[in-house]
């Protein structure tokens, strides 16, 4: 899940969003905290709108969580990595 925030006067109401749209997020290869991203919104009637939103991944550690699929997978990978290093050192 990628948390996003509308900018300026944009809102679900002002954009006429009803929940039946297809939304594409244009993600760069290098995700950064509080980065501005582009959304492409396609309504069922075929109309499209592209707008800028702000990523609410606010810190570098949240970027890592996102890249790992969430905080739980991140923590588990860290624990497994630490356990593996201890086993090799023994």
């Amino acid at each position: 899940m990628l948390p996003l925030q509308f900018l300026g006067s944009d809102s679900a109401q002002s954009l006429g969003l009803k929940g039946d749209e297809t939304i594409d997020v244009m993600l760069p290869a290098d995700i950064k905290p509080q980065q501005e991203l582009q959304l492409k919104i396609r309504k069922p009637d075929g109309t499209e709108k592209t707008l800028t939103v702000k990523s609410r991944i606010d810190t570098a550690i949240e970027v890592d969580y996102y890249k790992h699929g969430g905080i739980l997978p991140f923590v588990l990978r860290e624990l497994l990595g630490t356990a593996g290093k201890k086993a090799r050192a023994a």
Side-chain angles (χ1 to χ4, degrees), residues 23-82:
I23 300 174
D24 294 318
V25 181
M26 282 38 129
L27 285 176
D30 186 31
I31 301 170
K32 297 180 178 127
Q34 297 190 352
Q35 187 172 24
E36 290 190 357
L37 303 171
Q38 297 297 307
L39 285 187
K40 182 184 276 188
I41 302 171
R42 279 189 294 288
K43 294 187 175 188
D45 67 5
T47 59
E48 292 185 2
K49 180 170 179 79
T50 301
L51 64 139
T52 302
V53 294
K54 182 178 184 180
S55 165
R56 290 316 313 243
I57 294 179
D58 295 326
T59 64
I61 192 68
E62 289 176 353
V63 170
D64 289 338
Y65 295 160
Y66 181 77
K67 288 179 178 179
H68 284 268
I71 190 169
L72 183 58
F74 176 83
V75 170
L76 290 175
R77 284 186 184 101
E78 290 290 310
L79 290 173
L80 290 172
T82 302

